[in-house]
């Protein structure tokens, strides 16, 4: 955009002519200039629409359409409210391009509302922000209606085709309070994040549901398959119910790694404070071992020492060892990616940041909208490949081909 279309001399002439005495007078002048320029642009669009200029004589054989006055429209802008004369044609066919037929907002207020909503602000706070920024009164209901306009966009994003292969897929959930049938219930927002063959992170989908079962997750994974995902080398999951069974049913060739960090948190939850330091020292010998053989030897020693005092903590490692030890089969570069769900934790932190002001969501769509906007904000910054990706993908292809 050329910002120097008004010369310095023209600005000086304007100042001398108007003799401004306050910033408000300058703003009023700018509002009038904005209205004049917008009206001239609309008249130029009408000339193009009719095929002749305003003062030009019209061929009688031309299409029987002509100017039919104008209608006043109040536009909300960053300069405040501005009255604009929008031209009309006899046949009612003229559709302005610079502003839509029913548009009342020329300054991106709707975009600002959505950006504030995406940042986690309440409808009340957004109302106050818009009042302070634009001196425009809006209702909380209007804020909600504007945010609802993205729901078709959310559905389109959720239904979009996906790539055929994702080397790594991370699955996790965060729980929220949602109002349903006149009561508050707890529901989970399930998120699936993939690393594609180019080494770039991508959120594959977002689901809001009350169930944590193999049947539910099987439906989610079948949805991924119907959208094009045919192969996944490895799923990284936390300890939620139904993950393992669903993955095995839908992607039988995929391997599963349970998040070590989640496992540590779960198994140390009831360990006494006076024992936790020693307990963790022994546990590190297990999950930081160089090979699975060494890890199993350390697990046996760990079990012998702590089983009597903390049987539940010890048994959780033994019972889930088949999906806790998967990462030992991979080179160090791949282990760093898969032994934890850190790849999705950054997304979860963003979710918590934007939802912290919401104790209870009025419905599923309200939560879905906010999380979708958070995903868009964060994923726009995912442009870098995973570190050492060329080495990782080549190692993974060799391992997959040998199975």
């Amino acid at each position: 955009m050329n910002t120097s279309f008004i010369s310095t001399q023209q600005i000086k002439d304007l100042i001398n002519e108007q003799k401004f005495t306050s910033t408000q007078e300058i703003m009023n002048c700018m509002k009038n200039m904005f209205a004049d320029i917008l009206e001239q642009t609309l008249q130029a669009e009408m000339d193009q629409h009719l095929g002749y200029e305003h003062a030009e004589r019209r061929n009688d054989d031309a299409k029987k359409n002509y100017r039919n006055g104008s209608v006043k429209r109040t536009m909300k802008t960053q300069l405040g409210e501005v009255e604009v004369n929008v031209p009309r044609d006899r046949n009612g066919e003229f559709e302005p391009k610079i502003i839509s037929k029913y548009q009342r907002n020329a300054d991106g207020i709707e975009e600002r509302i959505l950006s504030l909503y995406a940042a986690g602000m309440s409808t009340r706070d957004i109302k106050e922000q818009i009042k302070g920024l634009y001196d425009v009164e809006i209702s909380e209901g209007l804020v909600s209606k504007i945010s609802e306009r993205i729901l078709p966009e959310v559905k389109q994003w959720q239904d979009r085709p996906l790539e055929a292969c994702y080397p790594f897929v991370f699955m996790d959930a965060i729980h929220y309070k949602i109002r349903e049938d006149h009561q508050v219930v707890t529901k989970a927002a399930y998120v699936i994040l993939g690393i594609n063959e180019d080494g770039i992170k991508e959120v594959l989908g977002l689901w809001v549901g009350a169930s944590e079962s193999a049947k539910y997750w099987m439906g989610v994974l079948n949805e991924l398959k119907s959208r094009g995902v045919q192969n996944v080398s490895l799923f990284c999951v936390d300890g939620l119910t139904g993950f393992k069974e669903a993955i095995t049913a839908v992607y039988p060739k995929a391997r599963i790694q349970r998040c070590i960090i989640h496992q540590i948190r779960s198994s140390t939850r009831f360990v006494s404070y006076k024992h936790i330091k020693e307990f963790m020292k022994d546990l590190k010998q297990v999950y930081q071992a160089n090979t699975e053989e060494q890890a199993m030897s350390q697990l046996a020693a760990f079990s012998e020492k702590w089983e009597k005092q903390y049987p539940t903590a010890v048994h959780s490692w033994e019972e889930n060892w088949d999906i806790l030890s998967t990462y030992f089969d991979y080179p160090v570069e791949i282990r760093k990616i898969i032994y934890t769900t850190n790849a999705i934790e950054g997304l979860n932190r963003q979710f918590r940041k934007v939802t912290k002001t919401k104790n209870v969501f009025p419905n599923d769509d309200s939560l879905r909208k906010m999380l979708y906007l958070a995903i868009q904000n964060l994923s726009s910054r995912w442009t870098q490949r995973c570190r050492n990706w060329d080495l990782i993908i080549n190692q993974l292809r060799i391992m997959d081909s040998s199975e």
Side-chain angles (χ1 to χ4, degrees), residues 348-392:
N348 288 343
R349 283 192 294 272
Q350 182 71 8
F351 285 168
R352 293 186 183 98
K353 180 179 178 181
V354 301
T355 59
K356 64 183 179 181
T357 60
K358 294 278 190 178
N359 295 323
V360 179
F361 285 87
N363 51 54
D364 290 0
D365 281 341
S366 177
L367 174 60
R368 193 175 285 111
K369 287 182 299 183
M370 187 165 284
L371 297 186
Y372 166 76
L373 290 170
I375 289 169
Q376 299 308 305
N377 286 342
L378 191 60
S379 60
S380 65
R381 302 196 291 270
W382 290 343
T383 57
Q384 298 295 321
R385 299 198 303 172
C386 293
R387 184 177 297 179
N388 299 319
W389 183 252
D390 289 338
L391 177 62
I392 289 169

Side-chain angles (χ1 to χ4, degrees), residues 162-215:
L162 298 171
E163 295 183 19
C165 179
Y166 288 87
F168 306 116
V169 167
F170 301 83
M171 302 164 67
D172 205 356
I174 303 182
H175 293 83
Y176 296 96
K177 299 290 186 183
I178 298 177
R179 201 173 300 279
E180 184 176 77
D181 297 329
H182 307 292
Q183 59 182 343
V184 176
V185 299
T186 298
K187 290 191 177 183
Y190 302 97
V191 183
I192 297 184
L193 181 144
I195 297 180
N196 62 28
E197 291 190 296
D198 293 324
I200 305 295
K201 290 189 293 186
E202 176 188 351
V203 178
L204 307 186
L206 168 68
W207 295 261
V208 176
S211 176
E212 289 182 19
S213 64
K215 182 179 179 181

Side-chain angles (χ1 to χ4, degrees), residues 75-90:
M75 305 293 298
K76 295 175 181 177
T77 76
Q78 294 184 16
L79 302 171
E81 292 189 347
V82 175
E83 281 198 348
V84 179
N85 293 307
V86 180
R88 298 184 298 184
D89 64 330
R90 173 72 175 180

